[in-house]
Amino acid sequence: MTSVERKAARYQRRKAAREEKRNDRLTRYDDFNQVIDTDNLYASFNRSKSGVSWKESVQRYEANAMCNIAATRGKLIAGESVQSGFKEFTLNERGKIRHIKSVHISERIVQKCLCDYCLNPILTRPLIYDNGASIKGKGVHFALRRLIAHLSKFNRQNGRSNKGYALLVDFSKFFDNIDHAVLFAMLERHIKDRRVTALTRGFVSVFGPGKSLGLGSQVSQVAAIFYPNQLDHVIKENLRVKYYGRYMDDLYLIHADKEYLKRCLAEIKKVCQTLKITVNEKKTRIVKLSRGMEFLKGKYILLENGRVLRRPGKDSAKRMRRKLKKFKALVNGGQMSFDDLRQAYQSWRGNYRRRFNAYNQVRHMDRLYNGLFIKTTIGV
């Protein structure tokens, strides 16, 4: 046997081992019985009511929980719909209008059971490590730690230099443009139990004819995390960009060559065309690392010594100043307690100090807080 044949044989053995491991995982989670298991449904109910047990609809459901769960289980076994409509409302988040479609507790239990016992274990397995959104053990702080690690490693690899670039990419109306046909084809490649895919299709299809996912649905959240996975692997494996990360629809590529990042952007647009999502040209740009790159409401500047300077976004402190002045009127009017106010401010302050190098901004905010509330409280 030649060396080439031995190498090919080793590859086939590794491939067979990976396939066997994948099949074992599918056997455990790719099973509709996980969704209709009474214990799993009841555990999903307990997790679903966390933080919302004060709601009337949740309390009514809990008053007769086992009978309600048994009725839901019967519908699932019979193939009947468990959907009960939406509670729709609109949020204005920093000037951006978001239309939320919240699902009823009875449907939320099924979605949580489906996601926790089937979709999450299967669909998060092929994700790259640097995809940090809404995954257990990860999140915003994980994504930011990975960004800082990437910047530091880039600095060491390039001889203690910050002479590099970052390509920042954002998608236009990401949830609204997710194509159902493309998503369903992806799901069928990873999930073999047709009852699981049929249930998932039902939860997705209600959000629009042909495309769109709704905010407020756990199935939509899992699908949105998984949907650009092909793009992640193209960037990591085909384009060989080592310092890459994504948080939902925000992603960055760090490289020493600006021209190479331009070629990467062209390739990213090609993949996005196959996925039927659109790159936001206004927010997509190449920036110098020495001037700072914006990611998840912060600005991160790579210094020559390898240190990463973490600056807050322009609007965060402004919004908090406005809030404190509004809170002042609420406290004076008896609509808000001083303890609630203090907790709200300490929450903002702790997160601000943890994420950013913003000592002076925090001191200025403390002075405003003390001037508005502490003196008033002492005087009372």
Side-chain angles (χ1 to χ4, degrees):
M1 182 181 290
T2 65
S3 60
V4 175
E5 292 172 337
R6 285 195 297 271
K7 184 176 180 181
R10 286 196 299 270
Y11 170 74
Q12 292 300 328
R13 288 196 296 270
R14 291 196 302 271
K15 184 178 179 181
R18 287 196 299 269
E19 190 65 24
E20 183 180 359
K21 188 176 181 180
R22 178 177 179 273
N23 290 335
D24 289 342
R25 190 176 185 84
L26 287 177
T27 301
R28 180 179 177 184
Y29 296 111
D30 192 359
D31 186 358
F32 188 71
N33 291 322
Q34 294 279 0
V35 184
I36 61 176
D37 183 86
T38 304
D39 291 337
N40 290 347
L41 286 169
Y42 187 71
S44 298
F45 164 66
N46 286 326
R47 289 194 294 271
S48 296
K49 72 176 184 178
S50 177
V52 293
S53 57
W54 55 270
K55 291 185 176 181
E56 182 186 357
S57 59
V58 178
Q59 292 175 2
R60 282 202 307 267
Y61 191 94
E62 188 173 18
N64 204 13
M66 293 309 300
C67 290
N68 288 328
I69 289 173
T72 299
R73 183 175 182 272
K75 288 184 178 181
L76 290 170
I77 294 173
E80 299 175 7
S81 174
V82 295
Q83 295 163 9
S84 52
F86 301 109
K87 179 68 175 179
E88 301 187 35
F89 55 95
T90 302
L91 294 178
N92 188 337
E93 186 181 19
R94 296 188 290 274
K96 189 171 184 179
I97 303 298
R98 297 184 185 277
H99 189 66
I100 309 298
K101 293 183 176 180
S102 177
V103 298
H104 188 267
I105 181 66
S106 59
E107 181 181 344
R108 196 183 316 143
I109 292 167
V110 181
Q111 288 202 23
K112 181 165 282 294
C113 191
L114 173 65
C115 291
D116 291 353
Y117 295 99
C118 291
L119 297 185
N120 280 346
I122 296 172
L123 299 183
T124 59
R125 183 71 177 180
L127 299 180
I128 65 170
Y129 180 71
D130 290 316
N131 181 354
S134 301
I135 298 174
K136 187 176 181 180
K138 296 184 179 180
V140 172
H141 293 296
F142 168 84
L144 295 178
R145 286 197 304 270
R146 290 301 295 165
L147 169 60
I148 293 171
H150 287 164
L151 290 170
S152 300
K153 289 179 181 179
F154 174 85
N155 177 268
R156 292 195 298 271
Q157 186 184 43
N158 289 272
R160 298 291 178 182
S161 171
N162 60 351
K163 302 299 188 290
Y165 300 88
L167 168 60
L168 306 177
V169 182
D170 184 83
F171 300 132
S172 297
K173 297 182 178 178
F174 178 58
F175 272 74
D176 293 338
N177 288 325
I178 290 181
D179 188 88
H180 291 177
V182 176
L183 175 61
F184 295 154
M186 292 178 180
L187 293 177
E188 290 176 358
R189 285 198 296 270
H190 289 82
I191 302 173
K192 302 305 178 185
D193 192 323
R194 290 295 167 252
R195 292 173 298 176
V196 174
T197 54
L199 184 60
T200 307
R201 279 173 174 264
F203 288 134
V204 170
S205 299
V206 295
F207 289 111
K211 66 177 185 177
S212 179
L213 293 178
L215 300 174
S217 164
Q218 187 174 356
V219 172
S220 294
Q221 192 78 6
V222 174
I225 295 166
F226 174 72
Y227 192 77
N229 185 51
Q230 177 189 347
L231 176 62
D232 295 339
H233 285 276
V234 167
I235 293 172
K236 282 282 192 180
E237 297 165 13
N238 296 1
L239 299 176
R240 299 290 183 179
V241 178
K242 185 176 181 180
Y243 306 121
Y244 164 75
R246 177 169 70 86
Y247 192 91
M248 198 57 77
D249 61 336
D250 292 322
L251 54 94
Y252 65 84
L253 295 78
I254 298 173
H255 202 273
D257 188 351
K258 184 176 181 179
E259 294 302 318
Y260 186 72
L261 287 178
K262 290 180 179 179
R263 295 197 294 272
C264 290
L265 178 58
E267 190 65 28
I268 288 171
K269 289 180 178 180
K270 290 180 183 178
V271 178
C272 288
Q273 286 179 352
T274 64
L275 296 175
K276 299 184 180 180
I277 52 180
T278 307
V279 173
N280 189 332
E281 297 291 350
K282 291 183 179 179
K283 295 184 178 180
T284 299
R285 59 195 181 278
I286 298 175
V287 298
K288 290 183 178 181
L289 297 179
S290 58
R291 293 185 179 179
M293 54 177 288
E294 295 182 3
F295 186 66
L296 298 181
K297 309 303 179 184
K299 188 172 184 178
Y300 300 85
I301 306 169
L302 179 61
L303 306 179
E304 287 189 7
N305 60 6
R307 183 188 172 205
V308 179
L309 197 59
R310 298 168 292 147
R311 292 298 189 193
K314 298 178 181 179
D315 299 329
S316 179
K318 290 181 181 179
R319 286 195 302 271
M320 194 59 201
R321 280 195 289 271
R322 295 192 193 105
K323 282 184 179 180
L324 288 177
K325 293 171 184 178
K326 292 179 181 179
F327 289 163
K328 172 73 172 178
L330 294 176
V331 171
N332 290 342
Q335 298 170 276
M336 185 178 192
S337 69
F338 183 75
D339 287 340
D340 289 341
L341 160 74
R342 185 175 63 245
Q343 288 178 11
Y345 178 67
Q346 291 299 332
S347 176
W348 174 88
R349 189 180 188 275
N351 180 65
Y352 209 72
R353 292 196 63 182
R354 179 183 177 185
R355 284 186 59 179
F356 305 117
N357 304 120
Y359 176 77
N360 288 329
Q361 290 95 321
V362 171
R363 284 188 62 194
H364 294 158
M365 197 66 68
D366 285 344
R367 281 199 289 268
L368 176 62
Y369 173 81
N370 292 334
L372 287 173
F373 301 103
I374 302 301
K375 291 180 182 179
T376 304
T377 306
I378 294 174
V380 172

